[in-house]
Amino acid sequence: MIDELAHYFSSPSNREVVLESLGQHIYLALVPLVLGALLAVPAGRLAQRAPKLRGVLLGSMNVLYTIPSLALFVIIPAVIGTGATAAINVVIALTIYNAALLVRPVMEGLDSVPEHVVTAATALGYRPRRRFFAVEVPLALPVLSTSLRVASVSNVSLVSVGALIGIGGLGRLFTDGFQRDYLTPILIGVVLTLALAMVGDLLIVALRRLCTPWQRASAGGR
Amino acid sequence: MIINELVAWLSDPEHWLSSTGLLAQTGRHLYYCVLSVLCASIIAMPIGLWIGHTGRGGATVVVLSNSLRALPTLGLVTLFVLVAGIGEAPTLAGLVILAIPAVLSGAYAGVQSVPAEVRDAAKGMGMTPMQQLWQVELPNAAPLLFGGVRTAMLQVVATASVAAYVGLGGLGSILLEGIKTYDYGQTLAAALCIALLAVLLDVLLSRLSRAVTPRGIRSGPPAAATSTG
């Protein structure tokens, strides 16, 4: 196995393909995560504040999350009229998934902020907008970060499906390997995908610890 | 306009009725999915229930189901087929393996979620461990148990469409053929069919879950399914 790996990596063009795919994979997994989170915050706030909308909003998010990724990758260009093999299709599809996945945790995170903390912030003169970003969102982070981790891990594994429509980061190694009946690139792809998911997960945990210093002092739990 | 292509493709009865048409492939897709989830349930449910009942090995279940989320579907099926050879059996085995963690963790989490007082009450009434599991823990675990099955079903519907790349029939084969021949109408028709099938199966399973859940614990919203493939 080591020999085969060495042989595979001895070719400059193979090295280039792996690096390029890895870069594309990181881009395709990261951008939707950020965009999805940005979309989920106002939607989650709406769900938290408007109980009448909550059922409809969460229900439709559940349905969106039900649609298989390959189907979504193909439906999106048809709906918005982008080219069938544009990277933007994968970005939009995964953004939809991430937003759909994160609305409920945002809502629950904001709900978990104690009422007296919000009242105290108001009493200190925080206006609603500033109170929301400076007090409520940071306090919701611990609840939110668990779901952010789920979203990032599933992004990393879903991106590779995009290889079937021509844009899939490390997924390219799977289709290449399959067409050439060559196991090594597939194994490299699987291992790199798992490693990427793990690194992303660790980064989110580290980022959360950095953003919620008050938690380290008390519980120190993950 | 791509919608016109879709309508044009759909209005040809041949595309619906032939042996590789929409209806036949939807049936095949459904068959693969139900079969795989059934197999996964037969394997994983007793294990999950037992682990939940005894409380031993729970950490392993959680780690296993979390880390399997990161496994790339496409990589897995191409790997399986290159190792075991092209055919339905290795691909279906891959689907079963993918479905097992979701079912397992659903069954485990379901039994775990039964309040300790309820278990104690059952024990206090003189129930044997088997009676406790069947008559008390299982009905109480139903919502989370079915949550696991729903997640598994969604993963399998999605993965079966991806597995068409390595030769498994079903709606994925129509979709991929459409991509290969630049027939957007065909691609879109298959994609819509896959999405519709996934949503329908999910609704069906959530209805079933509600139907078998004892009325007393039905108050909460149905457990949301998570993670497609």
Side-chain angles (χ1 to χ4, degrees), chain A residues 15-37:
Chain A
R15 282 201 299 267
E16 201 178 309
V17 167
V18 170
L19 273 183
E20 212 176 274
S21 309
L22 185 64
Q24 193 188 36
H25 206 108
I26 293 171
Y27 172 82
L28 288 176
L30 188 64
V31 173
L33 187 67
V34 174
L35 291 181

Side-chain angles (χ1 to χ4, degrees), chain A residues 155-217:
Chain A
N155 268 9
V156 169
S157 90
L158 283 183
V159 164
S160 57
V161 173
L164 295 181
I165 56 164
I167 350 118
L170 293 166
R172 191 176 153 191
L173 299 175
F174 305 146
T175 48
D176 277 0
F178 182 73
Q179 273 157 16
R180 291 196 278 156
D181 200 4
Y182 191 9
L183 212 56
T184 312
I186 299 182
L187 281 175
I188 294 172
V190 171
V191 170
L192 280 181
T193 309
L194 293 181
L196 197 60
M198 221 164 71
V199 171
D201 194 50
L202 288 176
L203 278 179
I204 292 178
V205 173
L207 206 63
R208 202 218 70 195
R209 288 176 75 92
L210 201 72
C211 293
T212 56
W214 61 90
Q215 283 224 319
R216 259 173 285 164

